[in-house]
Amino acid sequence: MSSPMQSLASPFYGPEHEDFRATVRRFVEREIAPHADEWDEAGSFPRALYEKAGAAGLLAIGFPEEYGGIADDPFLRLILCEELAWGGNGGVQASLFSHTIGAPPIAAAGHPDVKQRWLPDILAGRAISALAITEPGGGSDVAGLSTQIRREGNEYVLNGRKIFITSAMRADVFTVAARCGQDGGLSLIVVDAKSPGITRTALKKTGWWSSDTAELVFEDVRVPAINLLGEEGRGFRLIMNNFNGERVTLAATALGAAQVCYHDALAWARLRQTFGKRLADHQVIRHKLADMKMRLEATRGWLEMVAWRLRQCSGKPNAELIAEICLIKNFSTQTMQFCADCAVQIMGGMGFMRGSRIERIYREVKVMMIGGGAEEIMKDLAARQLDF
Amino acid sequence: MKVLVGVKRVIDANVKARVKSDGTGVETANVKMAMNPFCEIATEQAVRMKEAGSVTEIIAASCGPAANVETLRTALAMGADRGVHVQTDAELQPLAIAKLLKSVAEKEQVQLVILGKQAIDNDFNQTGQMLAALLGWSQATFASAIEVAGEWLKVTREVDGGLEHVEVKLPAVVTADLRLNEPRYASLPNIMKAKKKPIDTLTPDALGVDVTPRLKTLKVSEPPARKAGIKVESVAQLVDKLKNEAQVI
């Protein structure tokens, strides 16, 4: 496994970025790539990987330093997502980094005791954090969520059902979206997974097999009142801010997967002989590869620009930038879809065989286009931000 | 014990090197550079020895242009304590680098120098040996294991026939072979901390070293392209071709 070098100059990356890229690449080469097939077939990966990632500092980006975090830099996130893609196992990536959606609301709005209880363990890889928003009755339609919390003395009582929750089988802590009363505003609340009244059921999926996606049922789960994040009923903004980070991450991950598709398809096209010449010498194949490269570089250029703008506004995007984040998420996952399709086509029978990372990436396309905000929702949100 | 490790900045091992069109050398403009892999192994060794308690301070040194500071930062991120940059844009050959490292080793009063056995760009494999001779210290090259035993180092060397075990008295120069260790990946917090570690900048003039090249490169050319193979009809024909055309049997 190797990733091609960026040989063209970029205004965005400094020496510490290159050092970090080398670190992630080595981590992936040693800790993930050799096991990518085995873990996907097994439907899981060793829990020890979380602590290894924590020791390398991979879980720390964007969290407060006092809890073991590293100051935010969108380019570090880009590098991380992109390099992880070379491991060729999106499921590992999704679960290993589920805290990047589960834990930011804790860091942003948690009671000091709650932060101290969970953040150091999460960032060191000792505890697994998961975000639980989507329900059988509504996902991207956040307003349709019906999970309830009810205040009783110093506790909240939680009741409801969540679905498609990444890392939910192994998570130690859930960040759950719920509302107080049928018409109450949304809140986020931190729930210890050991609390009585939680049932988890594993779900089988098209892709991301090594990720422990599950359905959760909360029945009269009692949660300390200080675990509520921010004010009761005021969680909507927290949820929306969290989505911005998740969507940039998804865009970078999709770009990384698309790059792997291009790399592997090109390597195969140079090797494979048909009709007396290399696949890469056939015009139909050359043009496919050129189309892949064209979309990759367009996606990269825009995504890096979005990352730069995020850094300029210290991670507090205005409406126009939120619209860009929604659209780059769509654009990048479309690039992944296009490149995965081309790569399987170029690789022919090999691309359809289990054990190739291209086959796996192909199965991971749709979750990228749906998760974190489906394409249609993204367009609509962008339209509203841009005041169409 | 204080240790000096040398870290050379070379074209990244994953990049395909290209010869300059005028044949005077290899193109390095706009090419991704990285620490020489054998220097990474040397740095890793020093860090492990510090973790084991036999080393108190690790000084990383690099000789070359301003960008070498980036390579020093990489060494600092891996665990070196501070850096010394001997800054020059001049072409540096092994003898010049050995003289510069000698000055640094004496100035810093180190007891051990660990270098990579060679750099992947020029493949000289000379600097460590020359440095030991200039310092008048013991040397142990191609190390695949190093153990500290009081005033002595027990070094395992990879030689053609197997493994050779030698003991050298400190102070010493040791050069690292491929199997000495597997270099760590620097953690992100350590990459950030490395930005704050001190790097001293020196010049060859300040060290009183004349770095004028003693070797002259006549020409650099690409290796010949590999020719396509042929299929033989029979074993007899294969043996005939191996014997008479390839002349290998």
Side-chain angles (χ1 to χ4, degrees), chain B residues 51 74 114 141 177 194 210 212 233 248:
Chain B
E51 285 167 349
T74 305
I114 310 178
T141 51
D177 210 332
D210 172 14
T212 311
E233 301 292 330
V248 291

Side-chain angles (χ1 to χ4, degrees), chain A residues 5 7 19 23 26 30-31 56, chain B residues 30 32 40 74 183 186 188:
Chain A
M5 288 293 148
S7 52
D19 272 351
T23 287
R26 267 193 193 164
R30 287 182 198 173
E31 309 293 351
Chain B
N30 295 322
K32 182 167 166 43
E40 280 194 313
T74 305
L188 182 55

Side-chain angles (χ1 to χ4, degrees), chain A residues 27-336:
Chain A
F27 181 85
V28 168
E29 280 173 1
R30 287 182 198 173
E31 309 293 351
I32 299 178
H35 314 289
D37 291 332
E38 175 196 335
W39 289 346
D40 217 49
E41 295 294 333
S44 189
F45 63 92
R47 215 186 138 112
L49 191 63
Y50 286 89
E51 287 195 51
K52 286 181 182 173
L58 306 189
L59 307 179
I61 303 165
F63 289 92
E65 286 178 31
E66 64 219 89
Y67 301 109
I70 294 276
D72 196 20
D73 174 355
F75 288 98
L76 290 177
R77 293 171 190 253
L78 249 55
I79 291 167
L80 180 62
C81 296
E82 232 182 90
E83 290 297 326
L84 283 164
W86 295 104
N89 191 322
V92 170
Q93 204 169 340
S95 274
L96 189 58
F97 292 89
S98 60
H99 79 294
T100 60
I101 53 175
I106 303 177
H111 184 282
D113 292 353
V114 176
K115 288 197 223 183
Q116 191 56 52
R117 166 66 189 87
W118 291 111
L119 291 180
D121 281 356
I122 291 170
L123 302 186
R126 292 187 297 266
I128 299 175
S129 154
L131 178 71
I133 304 264
T134 302
E135 298 178 4
S140 299
D141 174 20
V142 177
L145 300 183
S146 67
T147 294
Q148 294 286 315
I149 44 170
R150 183 178 77 237
R151 181 80 185 238
E152 280 186 12
N154 279 334
E155 290 180 324
Y156 282 98
V157 182
L158 173 68
N159 279 287
R161 189 180 283 262
K162 296 286 177 184
I163 199 161
F164 314 139
I165 306 307
T166 301
S167 283
M169 289 307 289
R170 290 203 288 202
D172 300 292
V173 58
F174 297 109
T175 305
V176 181
R179 59 179 85 242
C180 209
Q182 292 301 332
D183 303 318
L186 274 173
S187 299
L188 283 177
I189 191 161
V190 179
V191 181
D192 187 328
K194 286 203 211 65
S195 315
I198 302 177
T199 314
R200 326 183 194 203
T201 310
L203 300 171
K204 290 200 164 188
K205 313 175 290 296
T206 301
W208 278 12
W209 292 349
S210 45
S211 171
D212 51 325
T213 311
E215 178 176 16
L216 293 169
V217 179
F218 300 101
E219 285 174 298
D220 291 330
V221 178
R222 306 194 79 84
V223 185
I226 58 162
N227 284 25
L228 192 82
L229 299 176
E231 282 177 58
E232 193 182 290
R234 297 285 182 91
F236 185 74
R237 183 154 298 277
L238 214 48
I239 293 172
M240 288 300 131
N241 285 347
N242 203 34
F243 271 137
N244 288 329
E246 178 180 11
R247 285 163 190 160
V248 173
T249 301
L250 285 166
T253 304
L255 173 64
Q259 283 185 137
V260 175
C261 290
Y262 170 73
H263 176 271
D264 286 8
L266 179 58
W268 178 255
R270 281 175 169 154
L271 197 70
R272 172 84 166 152
Q273 297 277 337
T274 58
F275 303 101
K277 54 186 178 183
R278 304 179 314 157
L279 266 189
D281 293 324
H282 293 283
Q283 195 180 50
V284 284
I285 302 297
R286 298 169 76 75
H287 285 191
K288 264 197 171 66
L289 289 162
D291 280 339
M292 292 165 85
K293 180 70 173 164
M294 178 178 78
R295 283 169 166 82
L296 277 176
E297 294 311 322
T299 307
R300 166 182 293 289
W302 187 14
L303 183 58
E304 287 180 341
M305 205 61 215
V306 168
W308 181 80
R309 288 181 178 135
L310 268 172
R311 195 167 64 186
Q312 292 306 105
C313 69
S314 307
K316 295 184 179 62
N318 61 12
E320 211 173 343
L321 187 49
I322 291 174
E324 279 211 352
I325 291 170
C326 294
L327 296 177
I328 187 68
K329 194 258 178 185
N330 282 0
F331 192 68
S332 189
T333 51
Q334 284 172 10
T335 297
M336 176 182 175

Side-chain angles (χ1 to χ4, degrees), chain B residues 5 11 39-40 62 73 77 79 86 108-109 112 117 121 126-127 136 140 147 170 184 206 244 248:
Chain B
V5 291
I11 293 181
C39 299
E40 280 194 313
S62 191
R73 294 277 173 220
V86 183
E108 299 288 352
Q109 297 189 307
L112 174 63
K117 68 168 180 176
D121 51 3
Q126 295 172 359
T127 307
E147 190 189 327
L170 290 166
R184 70 194 57 200
N244 300 316
V248 291

Side-chain angles (χ1 to χ4, degrees), chain B residues 152-172:
Chain B
W152 294 76
L153 290 182
K154 291 180 179 176
V155 178
T156 305
R157 304 180 68 231
E158 293 196 350
V159 293
D160 283 349
L163 297 176
E164 183 182 65
H165 301 277
V166 297
E167 290 187 14
V168 291
K169 195 165 190 334
L170 290 166

